[in-house]
PDB file of all heavy atoms in Angstrom:
ATOM      1  N   PHE A   1     101.168 213.915 330.586  1.00 98.00           N
ATOM      2  CA  PHE A   1     102.076 212.855 331.025  1.00 98.00           C
ATOM      3  C   PHE A   1     103.539 213.209 330.766  1.00 98.00           C
ATOM      4  O   PHE A   1     104.409 212.330 330.737  1.00 98.00           O
ATOM      5  CB  PHE A   1     101.732 211.541 330.323  1.00 98.00           C
ATOM      6  CG  PHE A   1     100.352 211.033 330.628  1.00 98.00           C
ATOM      7  CD1 PHE A   1      99.466 210.698 329.608  1.00 98.00           C
ATOM      8  CD2 PHE A   1      99.924 210.908 331.942  1.00 98.00           C
ATOM      9  CE1 PHE A   1      98.197 210.228 329.882  1.00 98.00           C
ATOM     10  CE2 PHE A   1      98.651 210.447 332.232  1.00 98.00           C
ATOM     11  CZ  PHE A   1      97.776 210.103 331.206  1.00 98.00           C
ATOM     12  N   ALA A   2     103.833 214.485 330.649  1.00 98.00           N
ATOM     13  CA  ALA A   2     105.212 214.923 330.363  1.00 98.00           C
ATOM     14  C   ALA A   2     106.237 214.434 331.383  1.00 98.00           C
ATOM     15  O   ALA A   2     107.384 214.164 331.014  1.00 98.00           O
ATOM     16  CB  ALA A   2     105.249 216.456 330.263  1.00 98.00           C
ATOM     17  N   PRO A   3     105.889 214.283 332.677  1.00 98.00           N
ATOM     18  CA  PRO A   3     106.899 213.809 333.637  1.00 98.00           C
ATOM     19  C   PRO A   3     107.242 212.319 333.512  1.00 98.00           C
ATOM     20  O   PRO A   3     108.165 211.851 334.175  1.00 98.00           O
ATOM     21  CB  PRO A   3     106.253 214.089 335.005  1.00 98.00           C
ATOM     22  CG  PRO A   3     105.188 215.095 334.750  1.00 98.00           C
ATOM     23  CD  PRO A   3     104.683 214.768 333.386  1.00 98.00           C
ATOM     24  N   LEU A   4     106.509 211.578 332.693  1.00 98.00           N
ATOM     25  CA  LEU A   4     106.724 210.136 332.603  1.00 98.00           C
ATOM     26  C   LEU A   4     107.780 209.806 331.555  1.00 98.00           C
ATOM     27  O   LEU A   4     107.936 210.521 330.566  1.00 98.00           O
ATOM     28  CB  LEU A   4     105.415 209.418 332.262  1.00 98.00           C
ATOM     29  CG  LEU A   4     104.227 209.700 333.195  1.00 98.00           C
ATOM     30  CD1 LEU A   4     103.029 208.861 332.782  1.00 98.00           C
ATOM     31  CD2 LEU A   4     104.595 209.428 334.651  1.00 98.00           C
ATOM     32  N   ARG A   5     108.486 208.685 331.776  1.00 95.00           N
ATOM     33  CA  ARG A   5     109.547 208.241 330.879  1.00 95.00           C
ATOM     34  C   ARG A   5     109.230 206.850 330.349  1.00 95.00           C
ATOM     35  O   ARG A   5     108.551 206.055 331.013  1.00 95.00           O
ATOM     36  CB  ARG A   5     110.909 208.186 331.594  1.00 95.00           C
ATOM     37  CG  ARG A   5     111.428 209.527 332.083  1.00 95.00           C
ATOM     38  CD  ARG A   5     112.706 209.322 332.890  1.00 95.00           C
ATOM     39  NE  ARG A   5     113.718 208.604 332.134  1.00 95.00           N
ATOM     40  CZ  ARG A   5     114.737 209.183 331.500  1.00 95.00           C
ATOM     41  NH1 ARG A   5     114.873 210.493 331.566  1.00 95.00           N
ATOM     42  NH2 ARG A   5     115.623 208.479 330.834  1.00 95.00           N
ATOM     43  N   VAL A   6     109.774 206.547 329.171  1.00 96.00           N
ATOM     44  CA  VAL A   6     109.673 205.211 328.590  1.00 96.00           C
ATOM     45  C   VAL A   6     111.048 204.836 328.059  1.00 96.00           C
ATOM     46  O   VAL A   6     111.630 205.596 327.266  1.00 96.00           O
ATOM     47  CB  VAL A   6     108.641 205.161 327.434  1.00 96.00           C
ATOM     48  CG1 VAL A   6     108.652 203.783 326.769  1.00 96.00           C
ATOM     49  CG2 VAL A   6     107.248 205.497 327.940  1.00 96.00           C
ATOM     50  N   ILE A   7     111.571 203.691 328.486  1.00 93.00           N
ATOM     51  CA  ILE A   7     112.895 203.299 327.997  1.00 93.00           C
ATOM     52  C   ILE A   7     112.812 202.981 326.506  1.00 93.00           C
ATOM     53  O   ILE A   7     111.828 202.451 326.013  1.00 93.00           O
ATOM     54  CB  ILE A   7     113.457 202.094 328.780  1.00 93.00           C
ATOM     55  CG1 ILE A   7     112.556 200.869 328.639  1.00 93.00           C
ATOM     56  CG2 ILE A   7     113.649 202.443 330.241  1.00 93.00           C
ATOM     57  CD1 ILE A   7     113.188 199.600 329.177  1.00 93.00           C
ATOM     58  N   ARG A   8     113.864 203.350 325.798  1.00 93.00           N
ATOM     59  CA  ARG A   8     113.992 203.110 324.349  1.00 93.00           C
ATOM     60  C   ARG A   8     112.828 203.710 323.561  1.00 93.00           C
ATOM     61  O   ARG A   8     112.425 203.184 322.526  1.00 93.00           O
ATOM     62  CB  ARG A   8     114.109 201.606 324.073  1.00 93.00           C
ATOM     63  CG  ARG A   8     115.354 200.993 324.719  1.00 93.00           C
ATOM     64  CD  ARG A   8     115.495 199.532 324.397  1.00 93.00           C
ATOM     65  NE  ARG A   8     116.733 198.987 324.949  1.00 93.00           N
ATOM     66  CZ  ARG A   8     117.115 197.721 324.850  1.00 93.00           C
ATOM     67  NH1 ARG A   8     116.331 196.859 324.216  1.00 93.00           N
ATOM     68  NH2 ARG A   8     118.255 197.322 325.374  1.00 93.00           N
ATOM     69  N   PHE A   9     112.297 204.816 324.066  1.00 96.00           N
ATOM     70  CA  PHE A   9     111.161 205.458 323.396  1.00 96.00           C
ATOM     71  C   PHE A   9     111.515 205.854 321.962  1.00 96.00           C
ATOM     72  O   PHE A   9     110.686 205.716 321.045  1.00 96.00           O
ATOM     73  CB  PHE A   9     110.739 206.692 324.203  1.00 96.00           C
ATOM     74  CG  PHE A   9     109.504 207.388 323.689  1.00 96.00           C
ATOM     75  CD1 PHE A   9     108.248 206.862 323.925  1.00 96.00           C
ATOM     76  CD2 PHE A   9     109.603 208.583 322.968  1.00 96.00           C
ATOM     77  CE1 PHE A   9     107.105 207.507 323.463  1.00 96.00           C
ATOM     78  CE2 PHE A   9     108.469 209.229 322.509  1.00 96.00           C
ATOM     79  CZ  PHE A   9     107.218 208.695 322.748  1.00 96.00           C
ATOM     80  N   ASP A  10     112.747 206.315 321.767  1.00 95.00           N
ATOM     81  CA  ASP A  10     113.151 206.778 320.435  1.00 95.00           C
ATOM     82  C   ASP A  10     113.207 205.652 319.418  1.00 95.00           C
ATOM     83  O   ASP A  10     113.197 205.907 318.210  1.00 95.00           O
ATOM     84  CB  ASP A  10     114.521 207.464 320.508  1.00 95.00           C
ATOM     85  CG  ASP A  10     114.481 208.767 321.297  1.00 95.00           C
ATOM     86  OD1 ASP A  10     113.372 209.319 321.466  1.00 95.00           O
ATOM     87  OD2 ASP A  10     115.545 209.212 321.765  1.00 95.00           O
ATOM     88  N   GLU A  11     113.277 204.400 319.876  1.00 95.00           N
ATOM     89  CA  GLU A  11     113.354 203.260 318.965  1.00 95.00           C
ATOM     90  C   GLU A  11     111.982 202.793 318.491  1.00 95.00           C
ATOM     91  O   GLU A  11     111.892 201.916 317.629  1.00 95.00           O
ATOM     92  CB  GLU A  11     114.079 202.102 319.648  1.00 95.00           C
ATOM     93  CG  GLU A  11     115.504 202.439 320.083  1.00 95.00           C
ATOM     94  CD  GLU A  11     116.139 201.321 320.896  1.00 95.00           C
ATOM     95  OE1 GLU A  11     115.606 200.189 320.852  1.00 95.00           O
ATOM     96  OE2 GLU A  11     117.149 201.583 321.574  1.00 95.00           O
ATOM     97  N   LEU A  12     110.900 203.353 319.054  1.00 96.00           N
ATOM     98  CA  LEU A  12     109.555 202.901 318.731  1.00 96.00           C
ATOM     99  C   LEU A  12     108.944 203.725 317.600  1.00 96.00           C
ATOM    100  O   LEU A  12     109.200 204.926 317.475  1.00 96.00           O
ATOM    101  CB  LEU A  12     108.656 203.013 319.967  1.00 96.00           C
ATOM    102  CG  LEU A  12     109.118 202.272 321.226  1.00 96.00           C
ATOM    103  CD1 LEU A  12     108.141 202.521 322.367  1.00 96.00           C
ATOM    104  CD2 LEU A  12     109.278 200.779 320.965  1.00 96.00           C
ATOM    105  N   SER A  13     108.141 203.066 316.803  1.00 97.00           N
ATOM    106  CA  SER A  13     107.403 203.776 315.755  1.00 97.00           C
ATOM    107  C   SER A  13     106.243 204.536 316.380  1.00 97.00           C
ATOM    108  O   SER A  13     105.855 204.289 317.534  1.00 97.00           O
ATOM    109  CB  SER A  13     106.863 202.778 314.729  1.00 97.00           C
ATOM    110  OG  SER A  13     105.875 201.940 315.323  1.00 97.00           O
ATOM    111  N   ASP A  14     105.656 205.460 315.611  1.00 97.00           N
ATOM    112  CA  ASP A  14     104.491 206.197 316.109  1.00 97.00           C
ATOM    113  C   ASP A  14     103.349 205.246 316.440  1.00 97.00           C
ATOM    114  O   ASP A  14     102.618 205.448 317.425  1.00 97.00           O
ATOM    115  CB  ASP A  14     104.034 207.225 315.073  1.00 97.00           C
ATOM    116  CG  ASP A  14     104.957 208.431 315.001  1.00 97.00           C
ATOM    117  OD1 ASP A  14     105.910 208.502 315.810  1.00 97.00           O
ATOM    118  OD2 ASP A  14     104.741 209.299 314.128  1.00 97.00           O
ATOM    119  N   GLU A  15     103.181 204.209 315.634  1.00 97.00           N
ATOM    120  CA  GLU A  15     102.106 203.235 315.877  1.00 97.00           C
ATOM    121  C   GLU A  15     102.334 202.518 317.204  1.00 97.00           C
ATOM    122  O   GLU A  15     101.379 202.310 317.971  1.00 97.00           O
ATOM    123  CB  GLU A  15     102.039 202.223 314.731  1.00 97.00           C
ATOM    124  CG  GLU A  15     101.541 202.782 313.405  1.00 97.00           C
ATOM    125  CD  GLU A  15     102.589 203.628 312.694  1.00 97.00           C
ATOM    126  OE1 GLU A  15     103.790 203.532 313.043  1.00 97.00           O
ATOM    127  OE2 GLU A  15     102.199 204.377 311.780  1.00 97.00           O
ATOM    128  N   GLN A  16     103.569 202.131 317.480  1.00 97.00           N
ATOM    129  CA  GLN A  16     103.868 201.476 318.756  1.00 97.00           C
ATOM    130  C   GLN A  16     103.679 202.430 319.928  1.00 97.00           C
ATOM    131  O   GLN A  16     103.141 202.055 320.969  1.00 97.00           O
ATOM    132  CB  GLN A  16     105.301 200.943 318.760  1.00 97.00           C
ATOM    133  CG  GLN A  16     105.537 199.733 317.870  1.00 97.00           C
ATOM    134  CD  GLN A  16     106.996 199.339 317.839  1.00 97.00           C
ATOM    135  OE1 GLN A  16     107.877 200.170 317.603  1.00 97.00           O
ATOM    136  NE2 GLN A  16     107.270 198.062 318.072  1.00 97.00           N
ATOM    137  N   ARG A  17     104.101 203.666 319.764  1.00 98.00           N
ATOM    138  CA  ARG A  17     103.959 204.641 320.848  1.00 98.00           C
ATOM    139  C   ARG A  17     102.503 204.849 321.229  1.00 98.00           C
ATOM    140  O   ARG A  17     102.175 205.036 322.408  1.00 98.00           O
ATOM    141  CB  ARG A  17     104.586 205.969 320.433  1.00 98.00           C
ATOM    142  CG  ARG A  17     106.104 205.922 320.278  1.00 98.00           C
ATOM    143  CD  ARG A  17     106.636 207.251 319.785  1.00 98.00           C
ATOM    144  NE  ARG A  17     108.093 207.220 319.594  1.00 98.00           N
ATOM    145  CZ  ARG A  17     108.805 208.237 319.164  1.00 98.00           C
ATOM    146  NH1 ARG A  17     108.212 209.398 318.871  1.00 98.00           N
ATOM    147  NH2 ARG A  17     110.111 208.119 319.018  1.00 98.00           N
ATOM    148  N   ASP A  18     101.623 204.816 320.252  1.00 98.00           N
ATOM    149  CA  ASP A  18     100.211 205.059 320.540  1.00 98.00           C
ATOM    150  C   ASP A  18      99.541 203.896 321.266  1.00 98.00           C
ATOM    151  O   ASP A  18      98.391 204.011 321.695  1.00 98.00           O
ATOM    152  CB  ASP A  18      99.458 205.366 319.241  1.00 98.00           C
ATOM    153  CG  ASP A  18      99.746 206.769 318.712  1.00 98.00           C
ATOM    154  OD1 ASP A  18     100.381 207.560 319.443  1.00 98.00           O
ATOM    155  OD2 ASP A  18      99.348 207.073 317.573  1.00 98.00           O
ATOM    156  N   THR A  19     100.245 202.761 321.407  1.00 97.00           N
ATOM    157  CA  THR A  19      99.708 201.634 322.183  1.00 97.00           C
ATOM    158  C   THR A  19     100.224 201.621 323.625  1.00 97.00           C
ATOM    159  O   THR A  19      99.782 200.800 324.429  1.00 97.00           O
ATOM    160  CB  THR A  19     100.088 200.290 321.535  1.00 97.00           C
ATOM    161  OG1 THR A  19     101.503 200.075 321.643  1.00 97.00           O
ATOM    162  CG2 THR A  19      99.676 200.247 320.069  1.00 97.00           C
ATOM    163  N   LEU A  20     101.142 202.521 323.959  1.00 98.00           N
ATOM    164  CA  LEU A  20     101.749 202.515 325.292  1.00 98.00           C
ATOM    165  C   LEU A  20     100.766 203.021 326.344  1.00 98.00           C
ATOM    166  O   LEU A  20     100.033 203.985 326.119  1.00 98.00           O
ATOM    167  CB  LEU A  20     102.995 203.409 325.312  1.00 98.00           C
ATOM    168  CG  LEU A  20     104.141 203.052 324.362  1.00 98.00           C
ATOM    169  CD1 LEU A  20     105.246 204.109 324.452  1.00 98.00           C
ATOM    170  CD2 LEU A  20     104.690 201.661 324.663  1.00 98.00           C
ATOM    171  N   PHE A  21     100.777 202.377 327.502  1.00 98.00           N
ATOM    172  CA  PHE A  21      99.988 202.853 328.632  1.00 98.00           C
ATOM    173  C   PHE A  21     100.820 203.842 329.454  1.00 98.00           C
ATOM    174  O   PHE A  21     102.057 203.739 329.528  1.00 98.00           O
ATOM    175  CB  PHE A  21      99.569 201.686 329.531  1.00 98.00           C
ATOM    176  CG  PHE A  21      98.569 200.757 328.910  1.00 98.00           C
ATOM    177  CD1 PHE A  21      98.822 199.391 328.829  1.00 98.00           C
ATOM    178  CD2 PHE A  21      97.365 201.230 328.414  1.00 98.00           C
ATOM    179  CE1 PHE A  21      97.903 198.526 328.266  1.00 98.00           C
ATOM    180  CE2 PHE A  21      96.431 200.376 327.841  1.00 98.00           C
ATOM    181  CZ  PHE A  21      96.702 199.013 327.767  1.00 98.00           C
ATOM    182  N   ALA A  22     100.144 204.788 330.079  1.00 98.00           N
ATOM    183  CA  ALA A  22     100.799 205.727 330.994  1.00 98.00           C
ATOM    184  C   ALA A  22     100.956 205.036 332.346  1.00 98.00           C
ATOM    185  O   ALA A  22      99.971 204.788 333.048  1.00 98.00           O
ATOM    186  CB  ALA A  22      99.968 206.999 331.137  1.00 98.00           C
ATOM    187  N   THR A  23     102.187 204.698 332.705  1.00 98.00           N
ATOM    188  CA  THR A  23     102.463 203.980 333.949  1.00 98.00           C
ATOM    189  C   THR A  23     103.566 204.685 334.731  1.00 98.00           C
ATOM    190  O   THR A  23     104.323 205.486 334.170  1.00 98.00           O
ATOM    191  CB  THR A  23     102.893 202.531 333.675  1.00 98.00           C
ATOM    192  OG1 THR A  23     104.192 202.518 333.072  1.00 98.00           O
ATOM    193  CG2 THR A  23     101.905 201.815 332.760  1.00 98.00           C
ATOM    194  N   GLY A  24     103.681 204.342 335.986  1.00 98.00           N
ATOM    195  CA  GLY A  24     104.694 204.973 336.827  1.00 98.00           C
ATOM    196  C   GLY A  24     106.108 204.598 336.448  1.00 98.00           C
ATOM    197  O   GLY A  24     107.034 205.382 336.634  1.00 98.00           O
TER     198      GLY A  24
END
């Protein structure tokens, strides 16, 4: 999923990141 982006990704904890869905 390297081509995908998430806004404010750097502000999220590892625990929050692991709950994110891969979306367009």
Side-chain angles (χ1 to χ4, degrees):
F1 298 128
L4 305 183
R5 296 174 56 99
V6 175
I7 61 170
R8 298 182 176 179
F9 185 77
D10 293 341
E11 300 174 16
L12 304 178
S13 66
D14 286 356
E15 290 75 17
Q16 288 175 309
R17 293 177 181 179
D18 285 350
T19 68
L20 300 176
F21 291 125
T23 70

